[in-house]
Amino acid sequence: DAIRHDSYRTLIGAKIFDIKTQEPKVIRVLNAYVHKTEKAYNQGLNALVAPFLVCMNEMDAFYCSHRLLEEMVPTYSMSYELGRQRFYLGARAACYLADRVLHEVDPELRECLLKYKLFTGSTTPVSNFHNMYTFRHMQVLALSAQPLEEVIQLWDLFFALGLHMHVVAYVAQLILIRHKLMDEKANLNDHLNQHVWPKVNARAVTSLTTYLMPKLSDELVEDLKDHVTDRELCLRLVSEYLKV
């Protein structure tokens, strides 16, 4: 039931992914993954299998999805409960890492973004902003953006240089529209809302992402690389994130 609740809305609007014909494949791949791993289904996993179904047959898509989630980014299929809150562990840790990347490469933009008063139930400006806008991108490794064919090109970058690169690529997308976000009259929802997120230009995002990486501190780079597989690191990062 949880899979079917998500499957029908997988990458709605993507021109190269016809949900009417692809939904049965999404359901079968996810059911196979859940049965093989004996894990509960986490919301958002439907999006992560879609690019594979665009590029290959169903059996290969299952194999690649399984390897992605179990070997390459296992923390992204983990959930964690703290009090009454349930976290998608890897994605929540990635929100804090995105904030640290932004702080190191463009502190002025970060300060501007955090000044907005958002009502998300969070108690701090950092978690307010990232709960509202960043989390959905972290959860699905950039697949909440469009067009899908450009995002798939970004996935080529992630697979080539490391899946952690999706965090830096998200910050790169913010910087590419910096002039709009820094406008005193700007409304974040007019630029960062899920339905109006700027169309991805893979070449521009890739260029800026690879430019930003050498500017990051060694400690941050290590945390970026490790968070996709290290559960204990993610737990520490989430704990820090909730206090910022």
Side-chain angles (χ1 to χ4, degrees):
D1 288 346
I3 290 174
R4 289 183 180 277
H5 183 70
D6 257 7
S7 62
Y8 75 92
R9 51 186 178 181
T10 303
L11 303 186
I12 292 176
K15 293 181 180 179
I16 63 171
F17 186 83
D18 181 5
I19 187 57
K20 290 182 180 180
T21 60
Q22 295 281 32
E23 185 184 6
K25 297 180 183 179
V26 172
I27 292 172
R28 286 193 292 269
V29 169
L30 290 173
N31 270 323
Y33 171 77
V34 167
H35 280 86
K36 183 174 179 62
T37 61
E38 298 184 343
K39 291 182 178 179
Y41 174 78
N42 277 347
Q43 186 178 21
L45 295 184
N46 59 313
L48 294 175
V49 308
F52 298 118
L53 288 169
V54 170
C55 301
M56 59 192 71
N57 64 53
E58 204 170 319
M59 289 291 290
D60 289 341
F62 164 72
Y63 172 81
C64 291
S65 300
H66 183 272
R67 186 171 182 207
L68 171 69
L69 292 167
E70 293 301 300
E71 298 180 29
M72 303 181 76
V73 290
T75 59
Y76 281 69
S77 62
M78 295 177 186
S79 59
Y80 175 71
E81 291 187 8
L82 181 63
R84 295 183 178 180
Q85 293 182 299
R86 186 168 181 261
F87 298 98
Y88 296 104
L89 191 57
R92 193 64 68 183
C95 288
Y96 181 44
L97 291 170
D99 185 70
R100 286 169 58 187
V101 171
L102 192 57
H103 178 72
E104 289 194 8
V105 300
D106 197 339
E108 185 180 10
L109 175 58
R110 177 182 182 270
E111 182 179 353
C112 177
L113 294 175
L114 298 187
K115 76 179 182 182
Y116 289 93
K117 294 187 180 300
L118 306 171
F119 301 98
T120 65
S122 300
T123 57
T124 71
V126 171
S127 55
N128 261 327
F129 175 81
H130 294 297
N131 286 352
M132 178 74 78
Y133 298 112
T134 304
F135 176 73
R136 65 175 180 270
H137 292 272
M138 302 298 103
Q139 184 182 23
V140 294
L141 306 179
L143 284 166
S144 58
Q146 293 284 352
L148 179 57
E149 51 267 36
E150 293 288 317
V151 178
I152 288 177
Q153 290 183 53
L154 287 184
W155 271 39
D156 287 340
L157 170 71
F158 305 158
F159 283 120
L161 300 182
L163 270 297
H164 64 281
M165 295 290 286
H166 85 94
V167 179
V168 186
Y170 166 75
V171 174
Q173 291 177 75
L174 293 178
I175 293 174
L176 286 170
I177 57 168
R178 186 181 195 275
H179 60 290
K180 296 180 180 179
L181 299 175
M182 295 288 287
D183 189 323
E184 292 182 357
K185 299 180 181 179
N187 183 321
L188 291 187
N189 270 329
D190 292 340
H191 304 295
L192 302 182
N193 181 276
Q194 182 176 357
H195 303 293
V196 296
W197 183 265
K199 289 186 177 181
V200 172
N201 180 321
R203 184 181 295 271
V205 175
T206 296
S207 178
L208 184 52
T209 300
T210 53
Y211 171 79
L212 293 175
M213 277 301 295
K215 297 182 176 297
L216 303 179
S217 65
D218 291 343
E219 180 184 2
L220 178 51
V221 171
E222 286 303 308
D223 284 350
L224 283 165
K225 290 180 178 179
D226 292 344
H227 91 279
V228 295
T229 58
D230 189 335
R231 181 178 184 273
E232 294 306 314
L233 171 63
C234 284
L235 290 172
R236 177 173 63 80
L237 291 173
V238 168
S239 178
E240 292 176 3
Y241 169 68
L242 295 175
K243 296 175 183 177
V244 175

